[in-house]
Short mmCIF file of all heavy atoms in Angstrom, two decimals:
data_model
loop_
_atom_site.label_atom_id
_atom_site.label_comp_id
_atom_site.label_asym_id
_atom_site.label_seq_id
_atom_site.Cartn_x
_atom_site.Cartn_y
_atom_site.Cartn_z
N SER A 22 16.08 10.50 2.02
CA SER A 22 15.11 9.82 2.83
C SER A 22 14.12 9.02 1.95
O SER A 22 13.81 7.90 2.18
CB SER A 22 14.33 10.83 3.70
OG SER A 22 13.22 10.22 4.35
N ALA A 23 13.60 9.70 0.91
CA ALA A 23 12.63 9.09 0.04
C ALA A 23 13.17 7.91 -0.78
O ALA A 23 12.52 6.87 -0.81
CB ALA A 23 12.07 10.16 -0.83
N VAL A 24 14.32 8.15 -1.39
CA VAL A 24 14.84 7.04 -2.17
C VAL A 24 15.59 6.06 -1.38
O VAL A 24 16.49 6.35 -0.70
CB VAL A 24 15.79 7.66 -3.29
CG1 VAL A 24 16.43 6.53 -4.07
CG2 VAL A 24 15.08 8.64 -4.16
N GLY A 25 15.11 4.86 -1.43
CA GLY A 25 15.78 3.81 -0.66
C GLY A 25 15.22 2.41 -1.10
O GLY A 25 14.89 2.21 -2.24
N LEU A 26 15.11 1.53 -0.09
CA LEU A 26 14.67 0.17 -0.42
C LEU A 26 13.28 0.23 -0.97
O LEU A 26 12.87 -0.68 -1.73
CB LEU A 26 14.79 -0.68 0.86
CG LEU A 26 16.22 -0.91 1.36
CD1 LEU A 26 16.14 -1.57 2.72
CD2 LEU A 26 17.01 -1.71 0.34
N GLY A 27 12.50 1.20 -0.52
CA GLY A 27 11.13 1.27 -1.00
C GLY A 27 11.06 1.36 -2.53
O GLY A 27 10.20 0.77 -3.14
N ASN A 28 12.04 2.02 -3.14
CA ASN A 28 11.99 2.14 -4.59
C ASN A 28 12.51 0.89 -5.31
O ASN A 28 12.06 0.39 -6.28
CB ASN A 28 12.88 3.28 -5.06
CG ASN A 28 12.49 4.60 -4.32
OD1 ASN A 28 12.57 4.65 -3.10
ND2 ASN A 28 11.98 5.55 -5.01
N ILE A 105 9.17 0.69 11.43
CA ILE A 105 9.65 0.45 10.09
C ILE A 105 11.16 0.07 10.11
O ILE A 105 11.59 -0.84 9.39
CB ILE A 105 9.45 1.75 9.22
CG1 ILE A 105 7.98 2.04 8.98
CG2 ILE A 105 10.14 1.59 7.83
CD1 ILE A 105 7.65 3.31 8.27
N TYR A 109 13.02 -2.82 8.01
CA TYR A 109 13.83 -2.16 7.00
C TYR A 109 15.29 -2.57 7.10
O TYR A 109 15.99 -2.89 6.16
CB TYR A 109 13.72 -0.64 7.20
CG TYR A 109 14.00 0.16 5.92
CD1 TYR A 109 13.10 0.37 4.94
CD2 TYR A 109 15.25 0.77 5.74
CE1 TYR A 109 13.37 1.14 3.83
CE2 TYR A 109 15.55 1.53 4.72
CZ TYR A 109 14.57 1.75 3.73
OH TYR A 109 14.85 2.51 2.67
N PHE A 229 2.88 6.52 0.55
CA PHE A 229 3.39 7.11 1.76
C PHE A 229 4.82 6.63 2.11
O PHE A 229 5.71 7.40 2.43
CB PHE A 229 2.48 6.90 2.92
CG PHE A 229 1.24 7.73 2.94
CD1 PHE A 229 0.00 7.20 2.50
CD2 PHE A 229 1.31 9.06 3.35
CE1 PHE A 229 -1.13 8.02 2.47
CE2 PHE A 229 0.12 9.81 3.33
CZ PHE A 229 -1.07 9.34 2.87
N PHE A 230 4.93 5.29 2.02
CA PHE A 230 6.20 4.72 2.43
C PHE A 230 7.35 5.22 1.52
O PHE A 230 8.43 5.72 2.01
CB PHE A 230 6.07 3.18 2.26
CG PHE A 230 7.31 2.44 2.75
CD1 PHE A 230 7.41 1.96 4.04
CD2 PHE A 230 8.39 2.18 1.86
CE1 PHE A 230 8.48 1.32 4.52
CE2 PHE A 230 9.51 1.48 2.36
CZ PHE A 230 9.59 1.03 3.63
N THR A 231 7.15 5.26 0.22
CA THR A 231 8.26 5.54 -0.67
C THR A 231 8.59 7.04 -0.61
O THR A 231 9.72 7.41 -0.83
CB THR A 231 7.89 5.17 -2.12
OG1 THR A 231 9.07 5.25 -2.96
CG2 THR A 231 6.80 6.02 -2.71
N LEU A 232 7.64 7.92 -0.22
CA LEU A 232 7.92 9.39 -0.13
C LEU A 232 8.32 9.72 1.37
O LEU A 232 8.41 10.87 1.63
CB LEU A 232 6.76 10.19 -0.60
CG LEU A 232 6.51 10.15 -2.14
CD1 LEU A 232 5.25 10.90 -2.49
CD2 LEU A 232 7.67 10.65 -2.95
N SER A 233 8.36 8.73 2.19
CA SER A 233 8.71 8.99 3.60
C SER A 233 7.67 9.82 4.28
O SER A 233 7.99 10.67 5.11
CB SER A 233 10.09 9.58 3.79
OG SER A 233 11.09 8.89 3.19
N LEU A 234 6.38 9.61 3.97
CA LEU A 234 5.40 10.51 4.52
C LEU A 234 4.54 9.88 5.61
O LEU A 234 4.51 8.63 5.75
CB LEU A 234 4.46 10.92 3.40
CG LEU A 234 5.04 11.74 2.26
CD1 LEU A 234 3.99 11.97 1.22
CD2 LEU A 234 5.59 13.04 2.78
N MET A 236 4.87 9.99 8.89
CA MET A 236 5.47 9.73 10.14
C MET A 236 6.44 10.81 10.64
O MET A 236 7.12 10.61 11.68
CB MET A 236 6.10 8.37 10.22
CG MET A 236 7.09 7.99 9.06
SD MET A 236 8.64 8.88 9.12
CE MET A 236 9.37 8.21 10.58
N ALA A 238 9.21 12.19 9.15
CA ALA A 238 10.57 12.34 8.61
C ALA A 238 10.74 13.56 7.85
O ALA A 238 11.73 14.36 8.08
CB ALA A 238 10.95 11.07 7.77
N ASP A 263 11.83 10.34 -7.02
CA ASP A 263 11.50 9.09 -6.30
C ASP A 263 10.68 8.14 -7.28
O ASP A 263 10.97 6.94 -7.32
CB ASP A 263 10.66 9.41 -5.11
CG ASP A 263 10.46 8.17 -4.16
OD1 ASP A 263 11.40 7.85 -3.39
OD2 ASP A 263 9.41 7.56 -4.30
N SER A 324 17.92 6.57 4.19
CA SER A 324 16.46 6.46 4.52
C SER A 324 16.30 6.11 5.96
O SER A 324 15.50 6.70 6.68
CB SER A 324 15.70 5.45 3.68
OG SER A 324 15.90 5.82 2.32
N SER A 327 16.47 8.73 8.64
CA SER A 327 15.26 9.60 8.78
C SER A 327 14.17 8.89 9.54
O SER A 327 13.17 9.52 9.90
CB SER A 327 14.82 10.10 7.41
OG SER A 327 14.27 9.03 6.71
N LEU A 328 14.28 7.59 9.70
CA LEU A 328 13.21 6.91 10.43
C LEU A 328 13.31 7.18 11.91
O LEU A 328 12.28 7.17 12.67
CB LEU A 328 13.36 5.37 10.19
CG LEU A 328 12.90 4.84 8.83
CD1 LEU A 328 13.35 3.47 8.63
CD2 LEU A 328 11.39 4.99 8.65
N LEU A 380 1.03 4.83 8.39
CA LEU A 380 1.42 5.93 7.53
C LEU A 380 0.20 6.62 6.91
O LEU A 380 0.07 7.86 6.95
CB LEU A 380 2.43 5.50 6.49
CG LEU A 380 3.80 4.97 7.04
CD1 LEU A 380 4.77 4.68 5.90
CD2 LEU A 380 4.42 5.94 7.95
N1 LIG B 1 11.10 6.22 1.82
C1 LIG B 1 11.98 5.23 2.29
C2 LIG B 1 12.21 4.20 1.10
O1 LIG B 1 11.49 4.26 0.16
C3 LIG B 1 11.52 4.53 3.49
C4 LIG B 1 11.03 5.45 4.56
C5 LIG B 1 9.70 5.39 4.96
C6 LIG B 1 11.87 6.36 5.14
C7 LIG B 1 9.20 6.29 5.93
C8 LIG B 1 11.42 7.24 6.12
C9 LIG B 1 10.06 7.18 6.44
O2 LIG B 1 13.00 3.37 1.14
#
Side-chain angles (χ1 to χ4, degrees):
S22 168
V24 176
L26 296 172
N28 307 63
I105 294 174
Y109 201 83
F229 283 101
F230 185 92
T231 192
L232 293 176
S233 304
L234 296 177
M236 51 69 68
D263 189 82
S324 299
S327 70
L328 287 168
L380 298 186

